Amino acid sequence: MKTETHDVVIVGAGLAGLSTAVFLALNGVRAVVIERNASTSILPKARGQNPVSMEMLRMAGITDAIRAARPPGKPAITSLVSESLTGRVIYDHIAHRPDFSRFSPEIPGMASQARAEEALLQRARELGVDVRFQWTCERIEENDERVALELRDLQADAAFQISAKYVVACDGIRGAIAGQVGIGHHGVGHLKSVTAVRFNADLSRWAGGNSMTIHYVKNPALPDGSGILVSTDYENQWVGNFSADPDRTPEETRRLIRILLGLDDIDFEVTGETTYNYSHRIADRLSSRRVFLAGDAAHVMPPTGGQGGNTAMQDGFYLGWKLAYVLRGIAGPALLESYDVERRPYAEIVCTWQAANLAERRDMKNLGTLLGEPIDHARMMFGYMCVDGAFVRSSGQTTVSAADPFEDPSRPTGMPGARVPYALLQAGADVINTRHQLAPRFQLYTADARMASQAQAIAQDKAVPQQVTVVDSVAPIQLDAGESMLVRPDGVVAWRGRSADALAQAYDRVLARA
Ligand SMILES: Cc1cc2nc3c(=O)[nH]c(=O)nc-3n(C[C@H](O)[C@H](O)[C@H](O)COP(=O)(O)OP(=O)(O)OC[C@H]3O[C@@H](n4cnc5c(N)ncnc54)[C@H](O)[C@@H]3O)c2cc1C
C-alpha cells in the first residue's frame, strides 16, 4: 500500500478545513486536504461573513472575491421576525443591531457558503495546498509522535496511508475523528428536525430586493407555530424551513410555503428538499495529543444567528499560525494547548447564543429557560477575551470570568487576551489601521524608538516573524505613555509593557519556548 508522510493533514474541505489550510499556508506550512465529496458544498447553507471573518479573509487576500460573489440584489440584509413575508413585522434584527463600524473597519460579506468555499479553495491552491477530492479518511490512530491515517482514493478505489505530524479534523457534524481519538461531546443535543424546501418564485414585489432576506415566521398555522423563509444565491430561488414530518404530502408542503409567504395565489415551483437537524453540541476538548477539531466537528449550533460558518472559518484562523509556528520550530509544542483553552469557551458561548436565538425566534420557550438570555451580538463578536492561553497577563490585570469572558467592545481595554482594539494610529505621515495590520507575523506597536530597535534585535535573535510600527501616540490602543503592545498574528494582544527584557520574556512565554 502506498504511504506518504506529511506535516499536517486536514480532513474535510468545508469552511473550517479550507480556512485552516489557507491560514496554515500563509504562515508557511502547506497541508494536504482530504475531502470525501467530489467538490465543495453545493447546497444553500450558511450565508454571510461577519466583520471579524472579513478581517481575517482580508489577511488571506480574498475579501474582493467574497464581495464580488454576493448574491444578486442590493448589498443589504433584511432579517425580520414576522407573521409571513407579506404580513406584520414583529421585530427587525437589523434595525436593532448596533453599528458595527465602531468595532471593525470591515462591513459584513454576503457570499453564500458555496461561494465562500470556492474562494477559499482557489486561495488554498494558489498557496500550494494539495486538496484531494473524492478521498475519504476511514480511520486515524495517534501516538505521541505521529498520526496514522487510513485513507481511500474513491475514484481509484485504492487504499492509502499517510503518516502526519498533526491532523485537523474538519469533518463536520457527522465527523468520526473526534470519537476515534476519544473526544466526547456535550450540550443539549438534538433540538429540532427541519425540512428545507427549495422553490422558485418571483417575490421581488414583496421582498425589497436585498441580496439577503430572512424571515423568522411566527404563525400558528405552521407546524410548531414557526418557520424560516430565506433567499438564496440565485435570483428568485428561496428556501422555506419548517419542522420535519416524514408523512407530509407535496400538497401540504405547498400549503405551508403559502403560509410562509402570506400569499394564497402565488405561482411557484418546488425544486427540491433536504431534511436536517438543529443541534447544540460542543466537543469536551478541541484537541487530543496531535489531533485538533475545528468547525462543526468541534461545535454544532442551529443556524439562528449565522455564526456556524463564521466560527468554522475563524477556528482555522486561530489555529493555523500556532500549528505553523510549532512545525517551523518558532514555538514549542505547548503553544498548541492554548487552542482549546482559548477557543472552547467561545464555542460554548456562540452555540448557546444561537440556540437561545432559536428559542426566541421559533417559540421554543423551554429551550430558552435551559440556556438563559441571549447576550449582546456586538459584545459576543468583538468583546471576547481569552480567559487563559498564549498571552502574558499584565500586572494587576483582572482575571476574566469564564462565565462572562467579555469586555464592552465600545470601551476596549487593549489588555492581553483581548482583541487588539480597532483604532487609527498616526505614524508620521501614515495612518495605521490596527485591524488591517493583521498579517502572518507578530506586530509590535511602540512610540519609543529605542524599544523599536531593541524589539527588532529580539525578534531576529529568536527568529520570530515580527513587524515593528513606531506610532506617534499609543493612547488610541489604550496604552499608557511609555508602554508598547505586542499583537499575535491572529490579532490577540499578547503582551503590553515597557522594557525590552520583558518583551523578550513575553515572547518565550507566549511561544512556549523552553
Ligand atoms: C441548512 C443550513 C443552514 C445554515 N445556515 C447557516 C448560516 O446562515 N450561517 C452560518 O454561519 N452557518 C450556517 N449553517 C451552518 C454551517 O453550514 C456549518 O456550520 C458549516 O458548514 C461548518 O463548516 P465545517 O467546515 O465545519 O463543516 P462542513 O461544511 O460540514 O464540512 C465538513 C466536510 O468534511 C467532509 N468529510 C466528513 N468526513 C470525512 C471523511 N471521513 N473523509 C473525508 N471528508 C470527510 C464532508 O464531506 C464535508 O465536506 C447552516 C447549516 C445548514 C445545514
Side-chain angles (χ1 to χ4, degrees):
M1 193 189 307
K2 224 172 148 190
T3 304
E4 291 176 4
T5 359
H6 293 283
D7 281 342
V8 184
V9 173
I10 297 168
V11 180
L15 291 173
L18 292 169
S19 157
T20 308
V22 166
F23 290 105
L24 259 172
L26 286 170
N27 283 285
V29 171
R30 291 187 190 127
V32 173
V33 182
I34 300 297
E35 168 55 53
R36 182 163 47 204
N37 291 335
S39 70
T40 48
S41 171
I42 43 169
L43 283 175
K45 294 198 279 184
R47 295 279 306 278
Q49 295 72 37
N50 69 32
V52 176
S53 297
M54 290 305 275
E55 288 173 356
M56 66 176 224
L57 293 171
R58 185 178 194 279
M59 171 171 153
I62 52 175
T63 31
D64 286 350
I66 295 284
R67 295 212 190 285
R70 77 178 164 76
K74 288 184 282 184
I77 304 173
T78 303
S79 177
L80 301 170
V81 180
S82 66
E83 288 178 350
S84 70
L85 172 71
T86 53
R88 186 173 68 92
V89 172
I90 301 166
Y91 190 79
D92 184 336
H93 296 118
I94 305 301
H96 288 85
R97 197 171 71 174
D99 175 10
F100 292 158
S101 68
R102 288 184 292 152
F103 314 126
S104 170
E106 291 293 329
I107 56 166
M110 276 178 236
S112 67
Q113 180 156 345
R115 292 178 197 230
E117 285 182 7
E118 266 170 36
L120 283 164
L121 173 65
Q122 188 181 335
R123 187 69 182 118
R125 286 190 159 146
E126 277 166 16
L127 292 165
V129 176
D130 175 0
V131 186
R132 302 181 190 179
F133 286 101
Q134 291 188 283
W135 278 62
T136 187
C137 173
E138 297 188 325
R139 193 155 180 85
I140 74 160
E141 212 172 296
E142 64 172 343
N143 59 35
D144 286 342
E145 310 299 320
R146 297 194 74 86
V147 190
L149 296 102
E150 289 173 26
L151 307 166
R152 180 159 292 276
D153 174 344
L154 296 172
Q155 268 183 311
D157 193 21
F160 208 91
Q161 283 184 336
I162 292 184
S163 167
K165 288 188 185 147
Y166 296 102
V167 165
V168 187
C170 303
D171 50 348
I173 190 166
R174 287 187 204 85
I177 293 180
Q180 289 169 13
V181 295
I183 301 179
H185 291 85
H186 61 274
V188 182
H190 175 81
L191 302 174
K192 200 176 185 53
S193 293
V194 174
T195 300
V197 182
R198 294 187 293 284
F199 64 97
N200 292 331
D202 180 2
L203 302 175
S204 48
R205 229 176 95 199
W206 303 278
N210 287 346
S211 10
M212 197 163 158
T213 299
I214 306 173
H215 280 249
Y216 295 93
V217 177
K218 287 191 180 180
N219 190 319
L222 289 167
D224 296 332
S226 65
I228 304 177
L229 175 72
V230 57
S231 64
T232 73
D233 255 21
Y234 303 99
E235 197 141 25
N236 296 335
Q237 187 193 59
W238 291 81
V239 178
N241 296 268
F242 8 77
S243 299
D245 174 356
D247 298 326
R248 187 173 292 137
T249 61
E251 291 70 34
E252 176 63 2
T253 297
R254 293 181 68 83
R255 191 180 75 79
L256 295 179
I257 289 173
R258 287 202 179 90
I259 295 170
L260 283 180
L261 302 177
L263 297 167
D264 286 336
D265 51 0
I266 178 94
D267 194 28
F268 61 90
E269 179 199 7
V270 173
T271 55
E273 67 174 54
T274 325
T275 293
Y276 64 102
N277 295 323
Y278 288 174
S279 299
H280 173 270
R281 192 192 76 176
I282 304 111
D284 297 338
R285 285 174 289 133
L286 299 192
S287 58
S288 61
R289 277 176 290 181
R290 292 188 161 265
V291 176
F292 299 85
L293 309 184
D296 281 8
H299 38 70
V300 180
M301 58 196 93
T304 27
Q307 301 302 312
N310 281 293
T311 316
M313 279 191 290
Q314 289 167 19
D315 287 348
F317 176 63
Y318 289 107
L319 176 62
W321 74 271
K322 292 182 181 175
L323 259 181
Y325 276 38
V326 170
L327 283 161
R328 290 169 60 197
I330 300 168
L335 171 64
L336 297 173
E337 290 164 19
S338 65
Y339 174 62
D340 175 68
V341 175
E342 294 183 352
R343 298 310 301 169
R344 188 154 45 89
Y346 187 76
E348 301 269 1
I349 289 159
V350 77
C351 286
T352 299
W353 184 74
Q354 301 238 137
N357 283 339
L358 176 70
E360 186 216 313
R361 294 178 198 178
R362 298 204 57 184
D363 276 343
M364 293 172 72
K365 294 275 167 13
N366 297 343
L367 185 59
T369 316
L370 196 62
L371 294 164
E373 287 297 307
I375 72 155
D376 176 79
H377 197 167
R379 199 169 147 82
M380 191 191 70
M381 256 195 291
F382 305 104
Y384 177 68
M385 293 184 81
C386 303
V387 177
D388 207 347
F391 58 92
V392 179
R393 217 169 254 120
S394 294
S395 67
Q397 181 180 348
T398 41
T399 316
V400 180
S401 135
D404 185 25
F406 295 100
E407 60 182 10
D408 175 354
S410 49
R411 279 182 296 160
T413 57
M415 279 301 186
R419 154 190 163 90
V420 61
Y422 167 36
L424 300 178
L425 301 173
Q426 200 69 44
D430 299 325
V431 176
I432 306 291
N433 177 331
T434 53
R435 299 302 305 178
H436 281 169
Q437 285 285 94
L438 303 190
R441 42 120 181 92
F442 278 77
Q443 166 75 52
L444 186 87
Y445 291 111
T446 187
D448 175 350
R450 193 155 157 261
M451 175 60 136
S453 65
Q454 288 170 324
Q456 301 284 23
I458 290 167
Q460 208 164 5
D461 177 51
K462 295 182 183 298
V464 180
Q466 174 196 263
Q467 175 175 294
V468 176
T469 305
V470 181
V471 294
D472 299 355
S473 163
V474 288
I477 46 173
Q478 312 304 323
L479 296 182
D480 294 332
E483 276 192 308
S484 303
M485 178 186 278
L486 184 65
V487 180
R488 302 186 331 199
D490 55 13
V492 170
V493 178
W495 167 86
R496 49 190 276 175
R498 294 170 188 277
S499 81
D501 281 352
L503 172 65
Q505 285 168 21
Y507 263 128
D508 289 345
R509 280 185 47 201
V510 169
L511 295 173
R513 294 159 73 113

